[in-house]
């Protein structure tokens, strides 16, 4: 499964893959594989990405079409 939304969220936030990887405390190559769909995103990383982008995990996973900010 390709997670296009995490790439879109990253680009919309003007962040690099390196910056997001550092936030997740991992190598850029590992994060890049999440974006490309080569690796599945672990739950802990999904939760951290939702926190970083102030959105729901459902939005990131494509289960919700509207990006509702989480406060």
């Amino acid at each position: 499964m390709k997670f296009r939304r995490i790439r879109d969220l990253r680009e919309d936030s003007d962040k690099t893959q390196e910056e997001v990887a550092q936030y997740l405390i991992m190598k850029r190559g590992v994060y890049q594989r999440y974006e490309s769909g080569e690796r599945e995103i672990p739950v802990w990383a999904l939760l951290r990405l939702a926190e970083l982008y102030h959105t729901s995990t459902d939005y990131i996973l494509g289960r919700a079409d509207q990006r509702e900010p989480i406060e």
Side-chain angles (χ1 to χ4, degrees):
M1 174 184 226
K2 187 170 183 179
F3 289 99
R4 180 175 181 95
R5 285 197 174 163
I6 62 171
R7 186 183 77 196
D8 291 343
L9 286 165
R10 177 181 57 78
E11 290 174 349
D12 289 348
S13 298
D14 294 322
K15 296 188 182 307
T16 65
Q17 286 184 340
E18 182 65 31
E19 290 171 321
V20 176
Q22 286 178 1
Y23 176 79
L24 296 173
I25 311 170
M26 65 178 55
K27 295 185 180 195
R28 187 199 61 79
V30 173
Y31 175 76
Q32 183 276 326
R33 288 184 199 89
Y34 297 153
E35 278 193 11
S36 69
E38 293 175 48
R39 291 185 71 172
E40 288 191 26
I41 300 174
V43 173
W44 69 265
L46 178 65
L47 292 169
R48 295 268 303 167
L49 289 170
E51 180 181 273
L52 175 66
Y53 298 124
H54 305 285
T55 193
S56 70
T57 56
D58 281 348
Y59 179 77
I60 293 172
L61 294 172
R63 295 173 48 98
D65 292 328
Q66 187 135 359
R67 180 180 176 199
E68 297 184 24
I70 305 294
E71 300 187 28

